């Protein structure tokens, strides 16, 4: 009885070991390759519980879309401009058997896809200009890069879902040269504007000086005219006034002459007593003195 139970137990154990080594599960997001002594025997893409021989083993690959970041590279465009292009890609494994035979795992896949994508970038962008890359043609350019890259990815059991340029910048030395050129151009424009400003200032100052000279000359001219008119009017008034009384005019002029001649108070004059200069000293009416 005990012997029979032992045999049954051994058989159950053996059956459990066989079942454990013969059954495997393929998850919904994965696909599998069944290997026998390192040789692929079957590719399983449908999820669920599967059966294999006990001495066979299984490796799994992701069915989801995977990311790839190729290294940054420098590209020369058709207009001879250099760009440092930083790209990224997304791919998926479409043929697990071919994938295993060519690249083995995801690490190998990324090492093989990166040069393929970079090569496609160089070929396509080498026929484009910077203006086209920055325009609406960028979508078509990316589609061409993906199509060319897929020509190299499909023989590896993979398909590129998307290829995009993350950044495209001038190389550091080119950016520095552009900055220096822009700086020199701005300095040249600043000097030109300063020179134009100085020239305009000189014109304004010259015109102001000219207007000042003209205004001053015109003012002097008007003042001389007015002074002459004033003098003429004064002379006329004096003439009219003195013409009415010549004797008073002679008396007034003599008084002015006395005042101007004796203004300092220490004036010494040597004149003849019969001189007309002193005629009003002799007689208030200016009559000549009798002998």
């Amino acid at each position: 009885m005990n012997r029979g139970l032992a045999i049954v137990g051994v058989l159950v154990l053996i059956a459990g070991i066989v079942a454990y080594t013969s059954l495997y599960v393929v998850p919904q997001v994965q696909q599998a390759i069944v290997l026998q002594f390192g040789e692929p025997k079957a590719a399983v893409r449908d999820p669920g519980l599967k059966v294999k021989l006990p001495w066979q083993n299984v490796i799994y690959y992701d069915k989801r879309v995977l990311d790839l970041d190729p290294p940054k590279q420098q590209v020369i465009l058709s207009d001879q401009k250099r760009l440092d292009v930083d790209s990224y890609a997304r791919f998926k494994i479409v043929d697990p058997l071919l994938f295993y035979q060519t690249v083995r795992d995801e690490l190998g896949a990324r090492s093989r896809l990166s040069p393929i994508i970079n090569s496609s970038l160089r070929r396509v962008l080498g026929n484009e200009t910077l203006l086209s890359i920055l325009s609406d043609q960028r979508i078509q350019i990316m589609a061409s890069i993906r199509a060319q890259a897929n020509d190299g990815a499909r023989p590896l059991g993979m398909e590129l879902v998307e290829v995009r340029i993350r950044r495209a910048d001038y190389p550091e030395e080119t950016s520095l040269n552009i900055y220096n050129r822009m700086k020199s151009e701005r300095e040249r424009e600043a000097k030109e504007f300063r020179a134009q400003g100085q020239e305009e200032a000189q014109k304004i100052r010259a015109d102001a000086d000219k207007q000042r000279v003209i205004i001053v000359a015109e003012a002097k001219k008007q003042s001389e005219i007015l002074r002459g008119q004033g003098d003429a009017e004064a002379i006329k008034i004096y003439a009219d006034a003195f013409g009415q009384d010549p004797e008073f005019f002679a008396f007034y002029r003599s008084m002015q002459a006395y005042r101007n001649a004796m203004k300092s108070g220490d004036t010494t004059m040597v004149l003849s007593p019969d001189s007309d200069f002193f005629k009003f000293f002799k007689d208030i009416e200016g009559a000549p003195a009798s002998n």
Side-chain angles (χ1 to χ4, degrees):
M1 182 68 178
N2 292 333
R3 185 177 180 183
L5 290 175
I7 293 173
V8 171
V10 170
L11 292 176
V12 170
L13 180 60
I14 294 174
I17 294 173
V18 171
Y20 178 77
T21 57
S22 299
L23 299 177
Y24 65 97
V25 177
V26 178
Q28 184 73 29
V29 296
Q30 290 185 325
Q31 51 195 333
I33 295 292
V34 178
L35 300 177
Q36 180 174 303
F37 307 117
E39 293 293 329
K41 292 300 182 181
V44 182
R45 306 190 63 184
D46 298 327
L49 181 64
K50 308 296 180 181
V51 179
K52 66 178 180 63
L53 297 177
W55 55 84
Q56 294 178 334
N57 63 304
V58 181
I59 58 174
Y60 298 92
Y61 295 126
D62 208 323
K63 291 174 68 176
R64 294 171 295 186
V65 176
L66 305 174
D67 295 330
L68 173 64
D69 286 321
K72 184 187 296 186
Q73 64 169 337
Q74 190 171 106
V75 177
I76 302 177
L77 305 181
S78 62
D79 53 4
Q80 302 304 310
K81 289 184 173 62
R82 295 178 180 269
L83 290 180
D84 284 338
V85 179
D86 184 14
S87 62
Y88 74 92
R90 303 175 69 195
F91 71 98
K92 61 182 180 179
I93 302 169
V94 294
D95 190 338
L97 181 58
L98 184 59
F99 182 83
Y100 174 79
Q101 292 172 339
T102 53
V103 298
R104 296 288 179 176
D105 53 25
E106 290 185 14
L107 181 62
R110 287 183 168 83
S111 65
R112 293 286 297 274
L113 277 179
S114 291
I116 291 174
I117 294 173
N118 285 343
S119 178
S120 300
L121 278 169
R122 286 193 298 272
R123 285 197 302 270
V124 174
L125 295 182
N127 295 321
E128 303 293 338
T129 64
L130 180 61
L131 183 61
S132 63
I133 294 175
L134 300 177
S135 67
D136 295 338
Q137 300 180 22
R138 186 181 184 126
I139 298 176
Q140 298 178 355
I141 293 172
M142 293 297 100
S144 298
I145 293 172
R146 181 170 62 86
Q148 290 197 21
N150 268 326
D151 292 340
R154 289 194 184 95
L156 304 177
M158 295 177 286
E159 180 182 357
L160 286 164
V161 178
E162 185 179 36
V163 178
R164 287 287 183 268
I165 294 177
R166 184 181 290 113
R167 291 194 62 173
D169 300 322
Y170 284 115
E172 184 176 354
E173 60 275 10
T174 304
S175 300
L176 183 60
N177 291 335
I178 293 175
Y179 170 76
N180 290 332
R181 187 164 62 248
M182 292 174 63
K183 181 180 178 182
S184 300
E185 183 65 20
R186 295 300 177 270
E187 289 177 350
R188 184 191 65 78
E189 290 179 356
K191 290 180 180 178
E192 183 176 349
F193 289 147
R194 289 193 192 96
Q196 292 176 354
Q198 292 175 357
E199 180 181 358
E200 191 66 22
Q202 290 290 345
K203 290 180 180 179
I204 293 173
R205 281 194 290 267
D207 185 66
D209 292 340
K210 176 182 177 182
Q211 294 298 325
R212 180 182 64 83
V213 171
I214 293 174
I215 292 172
V216 171
E218 187 66 23
K220 287 182 178 180
K221 174 184 175 182
Q222 291 298 326
S223 67
E224 293 296 331
I225 292 174
L226 293 175
R227 186 178 291 109
Q229 292 175 349
D231 292 342
E233 188 68 20
I235 292 172
K236 182 177 181 299
I237 293 172
Y238 281 127
D240 292 341
F242 295 142
Q244 295 178 5
D245 192 347
E247 294 181 358
F248 175 76
F249 175 69
F251 175 74
Y252 177 75
R253 291 298 299 272
S254 296
M255 293 301 105
Q256 283 186 327
Y258 296 157
R259 182 174 58 187
N260 292 332
M262 304 175 184
K263 183 183 298 184
S264 60
D266 57 353
T267 304
T268 301
M269 293 185 291
V270 179
L271 297 171
S272 172
D274 299 332
S275 174
D276 288 338
F277 186 73
F278 292 111
K279 66 181 180 177
F280 287 102
F281 280 93
K282 302 173 185 177
D283 188 342
I284 191 63
E285 295 181 358
S290 59
N291 293 329

